[in-house]
Amino acid sequence: MQGLGIARRFFFVVLALVTVHSLNAQQLKVDSLITEVNNRSGNGKAKPLIELGILLAATDTDSSLQCFRNAYRIARRHGDTVNLVRSGRLLAEVLRRSYQLDSGLYYLDIILPIAQRNSLLRDLKYAYNSQAIIYSQQSRFDDALNANFLSLRLREAERDHFEISTSLNNIGLLYHRLHNFEYALRFFLRALAVKKSIPTTVDLDQLLMNIGLCFEERGDHIAAIKYTREGIGACGVNCAPAKLMIAYYNISLIHFNTRDLDVAEDTIHSALEIAKSNGLLESELHAENLLLLGRISDLKNKIDVAMRYFDAAQAVATSNGYNTTLLDIYGAKAKLYEKTHQYEQMSFYQKKYIITRDSIIGYRMMTNLIRIENDYITQTKNNQIEAYQKSIADKDDHIRQKNALIIVSVVAALLFVAVSALIFKMYRRKDHDNRRLDRMVSERTQQLVELNNRTQSCLNSERLSFAKRVSEVENLLVKIDTLCAMGQRQNRNEYLDKIKSAVCQARLR
């Protein structure tokens, strides 16, 4: 036990050191930005003022508003469109969170046309989102739906699937507030399909819980339990208080509809404890929990307790402008007074119910909602048709390019075949000429060999004839030598006559 105590103390010391370190780091950033603002002049102050306002927004709303206002004035004075739009959007966002809805709309109405003209798409889509939330809080649901669809179109054009999912979820929440659970579920499921196509799971838990709540409102308890469980599982052990309240509300509503009232009541009390400890007592979900507690008490015939819960819910809804929740509260009160035979009070709340319903979803509102939705569907279909036509045109271009490539390839192949045939023909002709030349050379060589043989034979015959004559001459010379020798012994004249005779004989031969 002592070891556990030491470990616990060590944990809190470390946590305190980490907290102090993070606070010091933030303070250093704040001091750095303040120094930068003081060192700059003119329009150069706008950007650090915006960064300082963003840093202070979570801890000091008034200082944050002052930073954004100063940045807005400076940017407007110097004609800095980018910083004007950005500071105006952030100023409207902080004003919205401070429930200064009209002031927030004032700045949004100024910056939205500027952002449109200058194609500042990032600020434009976030400005539409803030505008939609303000309109929804003011029960201007047709204007809210239009702003949501405008924001959705920008996100679809950017193909940012995470933001598309967020925008679809916002539209689903809007339809849920209008009690159009079929349409709400349609957009929630579209958001879920987009969410599952991306790796991030941010806000998946809340989306699953919203889907579970829609199924429960439609009476499908099995699907409601399935999606609520999945949402709680996705939320994990460190689930945010607001998301836990949604989970508890879903669970309590399921048990309420199945008439397991004690479990439903205990679950709602757990949600109320979360609301008290996390500053969520003025939220719309807190009013919904109080309303559900009143309905449970009504079913248990605890009339006074039910009325106290209805009154508490009405106070929260009235002070924060939750008109759709007020509508449910007026209806529940009218039924409770009818049950207790207090018909005057019943009539009073029935009238309030009718007036509130007409102000929220009257004929004009419903007409505008249908028109806005039809415009979105028409625009979406037109975009799909344009994309399809573009795809067909691209395919036609591709086919034409492919056909041209095929024609070029065929022509090239034909040229290759023709050149190959020509080369082959030239090769055949050259080969034939070479063979003919070889044959002619061979024949000529043979003729030369034969001629050489004949010549050699003639030369040999001539040599033999010449040799024979040489031999005869040699014999003659021998004879002459002999005669000369004899002439020395005989008479000279007789000797000369014999020589002449021998020479004549040699000539005759």
Side-chain angles (χ1 to χ4, degrees):
M1 293 297 291
Q2 185 177 3
L4 289 173
I6 294 171
R8 190 179 294 110
R9 285 196 297 273
F10 176 75
F11 170 76
F12 283 117
V13 169
V14 172
L15 180 61
L17 289 174
V18 171
T19 305
V20 169
H21 176 73
S22 62
L23 291 174
N24 288 337
Q26 183 174 0
Q27 188 59 44
L28 287 174
K29 291 180 181 178
V30 171
D31 293 340
S32 175
L33 287 170
I34 291 173
T35 303
E36 188 175 356
V37 170
N38 292 332
N39 291 336
R40 293 194 179 191
S41 61
N43 192 45
K45 291 178 178 286
K47 186 174 181 180
L49 276 171
I50 293 172
E51 299 299 327
L52 182 60
I54 293 172
L55 198 60
L56 294 172
T59 57
D60 191 345
T61 301
D62 293 336
S63 298
S64 176
L65 284 172
Q66 189 62 35
C67 289
F68 291 141
R69 283 195 177 98
N70 289 337
Y72 180 83
R73 294 191 190 101
I74 292 170
R76 188 164 191 172
R77 188 183 309 125
H78 291 87
D80 185 352
T81 303
V82 174
N83 284 325
L84 174 68
V85 170
R86 191 181 181 203
S87 60
R89 175 179 66 81
L90 292 169
L91 180 57
E93 180 66 20
V94 177
L95 288 169
R96 178 186 69 78
R97 292 178 181 176
S98 304
Y99 298 100
Q100 301 179 50
L101 304 182
D102 291 333
S103 298
L105 278 179
Y106 169 78
Y107 286 103
L108 289 174
D109 289 340
I110 292 174
I111 67 164
L112 276 170
I114 300 173
Q116 288 174 343
R117 286 196 303 270
N118 293 276
S119 300
L120 301 175
L121 300 182
R122 185 174 184 275
D123 289 300
L124 187 61
K125 63 185 179 184
Y126 291 139
Y128 279 138
N129 191 60
S130 295
Q131 191 182 50
I133 295 173
I134 292 174
Y135 282 145
S136 180
Q137 290 175 334
Q138 293 179 335
S139 299
R140 296 168 60 180
F141 295 112
D142 49 353
D143 293 328
L145 184 63
N146 185 54
N148 273 320
F149 278 137
L150 290 172
S151 180
L152 176 60
R153 287 197 189 102
L154 291 174
R155 287 165 166 78
E156 288 175 338
E158 292 178 344
R159 299 181 183 276
D160 188 331
H161 290 85
F162 174 78
E163 293 197 349
I164 289 172
S165 174
T166 301
S167 190
L168 289 170
N169 179 65
N170 291 340
I171 296 172
L173 288 172
L174 183 62
Y175 276 116
H176 186 272
R177 292 195 67 191
L178 291 169
H179 291 187
N180 190 339
F181 302 118
E182 181 181 352
Y183 273 49
L185 186 60
R186 182 187 305 174
F187 281 97
F188 283 148
L189 291 175
R190 281 182 61 189
L192 181 62
V194 176
K195 183 76 74 178
K196 288 184 176 180
S197 68
I198 55 180
T200 181
T201 58
V202 177
D203 294 333
L204 176 63
D205 44 11
Q206 187 167 350
L207 177 58
L208 290 167
M209 293 177 195
N210 291 339
I211 293 173
L213 184 58
C214 264
F215 274 117
E216 181 57 35
E217 297 283 7
R218 296 180 67 195
D220 191 340
H221 305 304
I222 296 175
I225 294 170
K226 172 181 177 294
Y227 281 102
T228 300
R229 283 177 177 172
E230 289 181 7
I232 295 171
C235 200
V237 293
N238 297 319
C239 196
K243 294 178 181 178
L244 274 179
M245 284 189 67
I246 297 174
Y248 283 141
Y249 181 78
N250 285 13
I251 295 169
S252 60
L253 185 62
I254 292 169
H255 286 294
F256 173 77
N257 289 333
T258 55
R259 294 300 182 263
D260 192 354
L261 301 180
D262 292 334
V263 176
E265 189 172 13
D266 291 340
T267 307
I268 293 178
H269 282 301
S270 298
L272 292 178
E273 288 298 323
I274 294 173
K276 290 177 184 177
S277 59
N278 291 278
L280 298 172
L281 292 177
E282 295 300 314
S283 66
E284 187 169 11
L285 190 56
H286 178 60
E288 293 283 349
N289 279 316
L290 293 171
L291 173 60
L292 187 55
L293 271 176
R295 287 175 172 171
I296 293 171
S297 300
D298 183 12
L299 288 178
K300 289 183 174 183
N301 289 320
K302 298 178 180 180
I303 305 302
D304 293 338
V305 177
M307 188 57 68
R308 284 201 299 272
Y309 281 128
F310 289 154
D311 289 339
Q314 183 176 344
V316 174
T318 302
S319 62
N320 294 284
Y322 303 141
N323 290 337
T324 53
T325 305
L326 272 175
L327 186 66
D328 294 334
I329 294 169
Y330 293 151
K333 278 191 168 185
K335 290 180 180 178
L336 184 61
Y337 282 122
E338 182 181 11
K339 182 178 180 180
T340 57
H341 307 292
Q342 300 180 51
Y343 297 112
E344 185 176 352
Q345 292 293 331
M346 179 195 75
S347 176
F348 173 76
Y349 279 103
Q350 281 180 342
K351 288 178 181 179
K352 289 181 74 69
Y353 177 86
I354 294 170
I355 293 170
T356 305
R357 185 193 60 190
D358 290 342
S359 67
I360 296 174
I361 49 175
Y363 175 78
R364 177 178 172 277
M365 176 74 72
M366 292 302 298
T367 303
N368 288 339
L369 288 171
I370 294 171
R371 177 185 56 79
I372 292 166
E373 184 182 355
N374 288 337
D375 288 345
Y376 170 74
I377 294 172
T378 303
Q379 183 65 37
T380 302
K381 288 183 177 179
N382 289 338
N383 292 339
Q384 291 175 348
I385 292 171
E386 289 178 4
Y388 180 70
Q389 290 175 343
K390 186 177 183 299
S391 175
I392 292 175
D394 292 341
K395 286 181 180 179
D396 290 341
D397 291 339
H398 180 69
I399 291 171
R400 283 194 292 270
Q401 292 174 1
K402 196 170 182 180
N403 290 338
L405 182 61
I406 291 171
I407 292 171
V408 171
S409 300
V410 170
V411 171
L414 292 174
L415 288 174
F416 176 77
V417 171
V419 171
S420 299
L422 180 61
I423 292 173
F424 181 73
K425 186 176 181 181
M426 291 174 65
Y427 168 77
R428 290 288 301 273
R429 180 177 295 174
K430 186 175 181 180
D431 183 66
H432 179 267
D433 292 342
N434 288 338
R435 290 176 181 276
R436 183 168 171 272
L437 183 60
D438 290 342
R439 190 169 58 252
M440 291 174 65
V441 169
S442 177
E443 292 174 355
R444 187 60 179 166
T445 302
Q446 185 66 30
Q447 290 176 359
L448 290 174
V449 169
E450 291 176 358
L451 180 60
N452 183 53
N453 291 337
R454 287 196 300 271
T455 302
Q456 193 67 33
S457 178
C458 290
L459 287 174
N460 291 336
S461 299
E462 290 293 331
R463 286 194 188 100
L464 291 174
S465 177
F466 181 74
K468 184 178 180 182
R469 290 188 179 186
V470 168
S471 178
E472 289 177 352
V473 171
E474 288 178 348
N475 291 334
L476 181 59
L477 290 174
V478 171
K479 288 179 179 180
I480 290 173
D481 289 339
T482 303
L483 288 176
C484 286
M486 290 175 64
Q488 290 177 357
R489 292 190 300 264
Q490 295 179 7
N491 190 357
R492 180 176 178 87
N493 291 329
E494 183 181 358
Y495 175 70
L496 291 172
D497 291 336
K498 287 182 179 180
I499 290 173
K500 291 179 181 179
S501 175
V503 170
C504 291
Q505 289 178 2
R507 287 179 177 172
L508 290 173
R509 288 176 186 174

